[in-house]
Amino acid sequence: MEKGWKAALSLMDIVWEDRQANYEKASVLAEKAYAAGADLLLLPEMSFTGFSMNTEKTAETCPYESVERMKALSEKFPHMAIAFGYAGWKGTELKAYNCMEVVQDGNSLMHYEKIHPFTYGEEGRHFGAGEEIAACEINGVKVSGFICYDLRFPEIFQISSRQSEFIFVLANWPKERAMHWKLLLQARAVENQCYVAGVNRIGEGGGLIYEPGSLAFDPLGNLLAGEFYGIGGEEGFLLIEADTEKVWSLRSDFPLKEDRREKLYRQWYGE
């Protein structure tokens, strides 16, 4: 990979349960991110509805409107990938799924369903649990992604980082637990010796307040400064740059993963 791979971490004030209004915001963000040279634009969890449990209104049926809209949008900005979240029904199942998709040049590169519904927030009553870790390659960089509450479960990051150089988390992480958000993102970067980026919505939705919290850490856990590009008020994106040579150099010099004892861990889990 050449140096200079860039990701745009959005700060988006999602209009509650209004997909059309949020599609328009995504379009503005995409245009500006593309002009800034981004390889990947990251939108927050449930990008076009907010973290709503009202699945009868917000969940989409296949072919998912949000995926088709974002595929079409990506065709306008060649080679820039867009990652976004939405709620979707699968077949005749009684619960929807909290989904994430990555599209590029009109194609879907990755589909992921949130593995850990947020029981404390009653998400598990309305959404099923995903069963698979997903990954793709974007302009030469191996990428994987998770959704919000997944951040609290380090095992899936260890699995993902066996190959991934850049891991992102799309979230609607409320202000009251903001300290955990930053702490866990940094820990996942250090533990996995890779870039870890978190993208959180801003504003207010569903009675919860979200403060600006989109940020990224390098493989040593250093906070990346980035550059902010605004689209109005606090909304916009933070453009950060990743050099994946640092990932493999660090893993070679300090081979942390080689000391993991996977068989013993599985034994303790009773497998």
Side-chain angles (χ1 to χ4, degrees), residues 120-240:
Y120 180 79
E122 299 189 348
E123 184 179 8
R125 292 179 55 189
H126 305 276
F127 290 88
E131 299 289 341
E132 296 184 4
I133 291 171
C136 65
E137 186 171 302
I138 299 172
N139 299 343
V141 175
K142 299 180 181 71
V143 173
S144 59
F146 297 106
I147 300 175
C148 204
Y149 190 51
D150 285 332
L151 181 60
R152 294 185 180 273
F153 301 89
E155 296 88 347
I156 56 175
F157 286 79
Q158 285 293 337
I159 295 167
S160 180
S161 64
R162 290 172 184 168
Q163 296 296 325
S164 293
E165 302 157 321
F166 185 97
I167 301 175
F168 63 83
V169 182
L170 308 186
N172 279 202
W173 196 287
K175 180 180 180 180
E176 62 185 305
R177 292 184 288 277
M179 182 189 71
H180 295 178
W181 168 248
K182 182 176 180 180
L183 177 68
L184 292 170
L185 287 168
Q186 185 175 33
R188 297 294 93 88
V190 173
E191 294 164 350
N192 292 281
Q193 298 180 310
C194 67
Y195 287 90
V196 173
V199 172
N200 197 27
R201 71 155 294 175
I202 63 173
E204 184 176 348
L208 296 174
I209 297 173
Y210 303 88
E211 64 180 19
S214 295
L215 70 171
F217 296 92
D218 74 9
L220 285 170
N222 297 309
L223 179 65
L224 299 179
E227 183 177 357
F228 178 71
Y229 291 75
I231 64 169
E234 292 186 313
E235 290 189 280
F237 60 86
L238 185 71
L239 189 71
I240 60 97

Side-chain angles (χ1 to χ4, degrees), residues 47-75:
S47 310
F48 311 115
T49 62
F51 190 62
S52 171
M53 300 298 104
N54 184 16
T55 54
E56 291 298 323
K57 178 178 181 180
T58 62
E60 306 173 29
T61 56
C62 193
Y64 304 117
E65 179 187 8
S66 292
V67 175
E68 297 307 310
R69 291 287 293 263
M70 291 301 104
K71 281 182 179 179
L73 182 63
S74 72
E75 289 183 319

Side-chain angles (χ1 to χ4, degrees), residues 14-28:
I14 301 172
V15 181
W16 189 252
E17 296 183 351
D18 188 341
R19 285 204 292 268
Q20 185 57 46
N22 293 309
Y23 290 148
E24 293 172 6
K25 289 193 178 195
S27 180
V28 174

